[in-house]
Amino acid sequence: MLYIPFTDEQKILANSVNLEEFLRMRGEKLERVGREHKLIYYDSSGRHDSITIHGSTWFDHKNQVGGGAIKFMQEFYDMDFQTAVQELLGQRVTPLSHSPPKVSAKEEKKEFRLPQANTNMHRVYAYLIKQRFIAPEVITHFAKQHTLYEDKEHHNAVFVGIDENGVPRQASKRSTNSYGNSFRITCQGSDTRYSFAHFGESKRLYVFEAPIDMMSFLTLYPKDWQKHSCIAMNGVYENAVLTALKSHSNLSEIVLCVDNDEGGIEAVDRLRDILHENGYPNVKRLAPEFKDWNECLKSQNGVEPLPAVPHKRKDEYLKEVSELGYLKCRPDKLTSQIYATFKNGQYKYLAEYALAGSAFFMPKSERINSEFQAFERLHVKLKGSYKPYTDKGKKSQKQRNLQECVQTVLKDLRQTARTREQSVNTAKLLYQLADSAVRLSVEETLNAPMQENIESEDIVSEPEPCMEFS
């Protein structure tokens, strides 16, 4: 990676970024506990909430480690120093200060105020039409609804989220500057339960990451768009989506139109799980051909678009699972096979033995006609149930997870006689072991210089331009 000589000021700024806001923008889940927040995340061993965050500082109570924002990015996202600082500075959109903010003794709730409106929207129209290629009639629709306007001080585009009574509760600003770095920022005091949106009468809700993505989509597919609903999350945070669904009883079908990059791919599975938990099972994905919907709009207007970004970890996991072969299980040898492959770091073979063992211990009523068919069934399940948002953590953590799985399975295999329920439990433990083994194998493979990509999961096909929403 190209070395970037960051100044001391830039390092201090990166380390003082508010982790609570930053992580929500990345789609992570946080739960308030007093003055702090717990980070809720998942990996192959289950749900975790041992990391607490306050402002720009964090502490992992399980592993007894903590620090500032840069160290968090290094530990939790496995980034090097350069990448961590770049990521944090890329999210920094407020004026830069020369020292980290002091931790206040008491958190104060900031009052929400809309930025003062300019007397016209000339710069916003020029920016959205000339640089973003958004249709003037789409811009005008939201301008007439007073959910899009130009601020007086800096001529930013302001996107407003209103509540059920039409009262503004949230706003985000987007720079219209043609030169230098553009930015987007959520206004202080915003209620994240609301966001820039349009609500129609049909049962369908289209979900986007940002207002410009949403308006780009409506420009690409304009026919009868107003009869459906659409909302921009300002990231991949689900709060506004859940509020919208609860406030509009006609909505029952959700179409996730998030970006076609690593963050968007992870968000699809995470949002789908959250929506299912909240009683909304009808969730589909509609992926843009390029990185996002505005890139598709740029392409249609002769501008070179940014390409879609594959999820390397997900693609590699699916590839390695596809390559697992069937090894007939020999129960008397399984313990020694698992121990030897783990000790020698042969994680692919370990996964094959574990999956074959899982098929063997499945109840006969679920094996269909043979252990091989049961293996194939588990093989398909392993691919279909993988969710990259649960695949967090560094290699060392995945090694610990795998070691714990191996120890649990070896202890379980010492049983000389099993009831049906115990056999089912053994099959589940071996299946989890196979998953953990593949995850660690993937972590090692990703460090190799050459990578091969495979097709990700089937998604809803992109509609033809100007097709009717139905």
Side-chain angles (χ1 to χ4, degrees):
M1 179 180 178
L2 178 66
Y3 174 74
I4 301 174
F6 294 111
T7 64
D8 289 341
E9 180 187 22
Q10 287 175 314
K11 295 174 186 176
I12 291 172
L13 291 169
N15 211 35
S16 63
V17 166
N18 187 307
L19 280 173
E20 296 166 14
E21 295 178 2
F22 179 83
L23 293 174
R24 282 202 171 97
M25 288 291 290
R26 290 183 69 101
E28 303 293 355
K29 183 177 181 180
L30 299 173
E31 289 183 359
R32 179 179 286 278
V33 182
R35 292 170 52 215
E36 298 180 325
H37 287 80
K38 290 192 301 184
L39 173 65
I40 309 300
Y41 72 98
Y42 299 80
D43 60 23
S44 59
S45 63
R47 183 181 188 271
H48 300 276
D49 61 0
S50 64
I51 298 175
T52 54
I53 293 169
H54 183 75
S56 62
T57 61
W58 63 281
F59 189 76
D60 185 344
H61 297 268
K62 179 180 179 181
N63 297 309
Q64 293 295 297
V65 62
I70 295 175
K71 188 173 181 180
F72 180 88
M73 300 297 282
Q74 292 175 301
E75 291 288 328
F76 192 73
Y77 291 113
D78 200 18
M79 294 180 178
D80 56 36
F81 180 84
Q82 293 271 308
T83 304
V85 173
Q86 278 185 297
E87 285 283 325
L88 291 164
L89 291 178
Q91 294 290 332
R92 186 77 177 186
V93 293
T94 51
L96 305 183
S97 59
H98 288 272
S99 60
K102 294 181 180 180
V103 178
S104 58
K106 183 178 180 181
E107 286 189 39
E108 297 181 3
K109 183 174 177 59
K110 296 181 174 63
E111 181 182 357
F112 172 68
R113 290 183 180 178
L114 284 174
Q116 186 177 356
N118 195 29
T119 54
N120 61 62
M121 290 181 60
H122 293 167
R123 294 197 191 182
V124 167
Y125 266 91
Y127 170 73
L128 293 177
I129 294 172
K130 295 180 180 180
Q131 295 187 44
R132 295 294 188 162
F133 305 103
I134 293 171
E137 55 270 24
V138 172
I139 304 171
T140 299
H141 171 84
F142 292 102
K144 287 181 176 179
Q145 300 298 317
H146 304 292
T147 55
L148 170 60
Y149 67 93
E150 182 176 312
D151 80 340
K152 182 176 181 179
E153 185 176 5
H154 299 293
H155 302 283
N156 298 312
V158 181
F159 300 93
V160 183
I162 59 176
D163 66 14
E164 299 82 2
N165 300 313
V167 178
R169 298 294 186 187
Q170 181 269 355
S172 61
K173 294 187 287 186
R174 177 82 195 201
S175 169
T176 59
N177 191 355
S178 303
Y179 306 98
N181 293 328
S182 62
F183 69 85
R184 67 183 182 198
I185 182 173
T186 300
C187 296
Q188 288 187 347
S190 287
D191 187 337
T192 59
R193 293 176 300 168
Y194 303 95
S195 188
F196 182 70
H198 164 80
F199 295 103
E201 298 178 354
S202 83
K203 65 179 181 180
R204 188 176 299 172
L205 174 66
Y206 291 85
V207 178
F208 301 87
E209 289 192 27
I212 288 179
D213 289 328
M214 178 175 133
M215 297 173 75
S216 299
F217 184 88
L218 300 181
T219 301
L220 287 164
Y221 312 113
K223 191 170 184 180
D224 295 332
W225 70 263
Q226 293 185 37
K227 72 179 184 180
H228 300 294
S229 300
C230 47
I231 189 168
M233 297 181 290
N234 289 314
V236 287
Y237 187 46
E238 71 279 358
N239 210 358
V241 177
L242 294 176
T243 300
L245 290 168
K246 292 172 183 175
S247 302
H248 298 82
S249 58
N250 59 302
L251 297 175
S252 60
E253 179 184 334
I254 300 99
V255 183
L256 301 176
C257 304
V258 293
D259 293 358
N260 198 355
D261 58 11
E262 287 200 2
I265 292 169
E266 289 195 10
V268 168
D269 288 323
R270 189 180 64 82
L271 291 170
R272 183 183 285 123
D273 285 349
I274 291 170
L275 290 164
H276 285 185
E277 290 171 5
N278 282 271
Y280 299 96
N282 191 358
V283 182
K284 300 176 183 177
R285 180 189 179 194
L286 184 59
E289 179 184 357
F290 301 105
K291 181 181 178 295
D292 58 44
W293 295 104
N294 192 245
E295 296 302 324
C296 294
L297 194 53
K298 287 179 181 178
S299 175
Q300 193 178 83
N301 284 273
V303 176
E304 184 69 25
L306 293 175
V309 181
H311 197 294
K312 293 181 179 179
R313 179 167 280 104
K314 179 175 182 176
D315 288 353
E316 183 60 34
Y317 181 94
L318 297 177
K319 174 179 176 290
E320 294 200 16
V321 170
S322 297
E323 294 173 348
L324 294 180
Y326 173 64
L327 302 173
K328 185 172 177 61
C329 178
R330 295 186 57 184
D332 57 325
K333 299 287 187 181
L334 188 57
T335 297
S336 60
Q337 289 167 337
I338 288 174
Y339 178 78
T341 50
F342 171 71
K343 183 178 179 181
N344 295 328
Q346 297 171 304
Y347 303 126
K348 176 178 177 293
Y349 290 118
L350 173 56
E352 289 176 335
Y353 285 127
L355 207 60
S358 181
F360 175 83
F361 284 103
M362 284 176 63
K364 290 183 178 180
S365 59
E366 297 183 22
R367 292 190 205 173
I368 311 176
N369 296 319
S370 66
E371 287 176 30
F372 174 74
Q373 288 183 314
F375 174 89
E376 287 296 298
R377 183 176 170 186
L378 292 173
H379 194 253
V380 171
K381 180 182 177 182
L382 202 58
K383 292 177 66 176
S385 60
Y386 176 75
K387 297 170 183 176
Y389 83 88
T390 68
D391 201 357
K392 302 283 188 181
K394 300 177 73 172
K395 179 180 175 181
S396 58
Q397 181 180 339
K398 293 179 181 180
Q399 288 174 323
R400 289 194 295 270
N401 289 343
L402 181 60
Q403 183 175 357
E404 291 174 3
C405 284
V406 169
Q407 291 173 342
T408 302
V409 166
L410 293 181
K411 180 179 179 181
D412 181 85
L413 290 176
R414 294 192 193 117
Q415 299 177 85
T416 55
R418 285 179 175 78
T419 63
R420 184 183 186 279
E421 289 72 21
Q422 289 172 328
S423 291
V424 170
N425 184 61
T426 301
K428 289 181 179 178
L429 292 175
L430 286 162
Y431 176 85
Q432 292 169 1
L433 175 58
D435 176 56
S436 294
V438 175
R439 291 185 186 221
L440 184 52
S441 176
V442 166
E443 203 65 36
E444 293 192 340
T445 304
L446 289 178
N447 294 322
M450 297 296 293
Q451 302 287 330
E452 286 187 54
N453 294 319
I454 63 170
E455 294 296 321
S456 57
E457 65 177 356
D458 290 337
I459 58 178
V460 180
S461 300
E462 182 178 344
E464 294 296 325
C466 298
M467 72 175 287
E468 181 179 355
F469 284 37
S470 58

